[in-house]
C-alpha cells in the first residue's frame, strides 16, 4: 500500500481530487470560485510534482488516480508499474488541469505547500 513519503502525498491528493472536484462541479462548495479553482489547481500541481519525483527516481511507476481500500486484490492490481512514458503523460495531464484552474495570483492569506515560484 502506498503510505509513506511522496506516496502518501499522492494518496492525499487523490483523496482531495476524488472528493472535492465532484462536489465543486455539483455546486456544493461555497466560497470564492476563483479561490476554489486555484486550490484545486494546486492539488493537481502537487500530484504532478510528486509523480515527477517518482518518475525521476524509479522510471516506471504505478498510476493511481483514486484512493484505494485496504483489500489485497485491489492493492495488487493498482501496484502494477506503468511504463515511464504513460507516467509522463499522466504528469502532463495533471499539469494541464492545474494550468486551467490556477489563477494568475494566489488567493490572499493562503498558504501553499510548494514555493510560489513553482506555481507560476
Amino acid at each position: 500500500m502506498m503510505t509513506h513519503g511522496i506516496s502518501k502525498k499522492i494518496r492525499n491528493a487523490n483523496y482531495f481530487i476524488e472528493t472535492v472536484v465532484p462536489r465543486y462541479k455539483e455546486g456544493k462548495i461555497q466560497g470564492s470560485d476563483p479561490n476554489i479553482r486555484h486550490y484545486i489547481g494546486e492539488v493537481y500541481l502537487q500530484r504532478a510534482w510528486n509523480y515527477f519525483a517518482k518518475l525521476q527516481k524509479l522510471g516506471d511507476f504505478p498510476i493511481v488516480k483514486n484512493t484505494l481500500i485496504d483489500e489485497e486484490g485491489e492493492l495488487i492490481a493498482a501496484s502494477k508499474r506503468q511504463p515511464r512514458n504513460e507516467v509522463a503523460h499522466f504528469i502532463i495531464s495533471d499539469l494541464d488541469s492545474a494550468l486551467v484552474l490556477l489563477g494568475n495570483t494566489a488567493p490572499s492569506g493562503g498558504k501553499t505547500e510548494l514555493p510560489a515560484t513553482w506555481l507560476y
Side-chain angles (χ1 to χ4, degrees), residues 39-118:
Y39 292 130
I40 293 170
E42 283 184 7
V43 174
Y44 277 108
L45 179 61
Q46 290 172 3
R47 184 170 73 175
W49 181 257
N50 289 311
Y51 265 96
F52 181 67
K54 289 292 191 181
L55 178 67
Q56 286 183 308
K57 185 174 182 177
L58 303 171
D60 297 351
F61 189 72
I63 298 173
V64 179
K65 300 178 184 180
N66 57 337
T67 53
L68 303 173
I69 60 170
D70 192 12
E71 194 276 315
E72 184 178 15
E74 182 177 357
L75 296 174
I76 290 171
S79 67
K80 181 180 179 221
R81 289 182 172 217
Q82 300 300 314
R84 67 182 62 219
N85 66 315
E86 289 183 28
V87 177
H89 286 306
F90 179 69
I91 293 167
I92 292 168
S93 174
D94 268 5
L95 291 174
D96 287 341
S97 295
L99 183 63
V100 169
L101 294 164
L102 286 170
N104 291 329
T105 57
S108 63
K111 180 180 176 188
T112 62
E113 188 173 320
L114 298 176
T117 54
W118 292 2

Side-chain angles (χ1 to χ4, degrees), residues 15-30 36 40:
Y15 178 79
F16 179 91
I17 292 167
E18 187 176 48
T19 58
V20 172
V21 171
R23 290 180 22 207
Y24 170 72
K25 289 180 179 179
E26 295 168 359
K28 294 182 178 178
I29 297 179
Q30 296 180 2
I36 295 167
I40 293 170

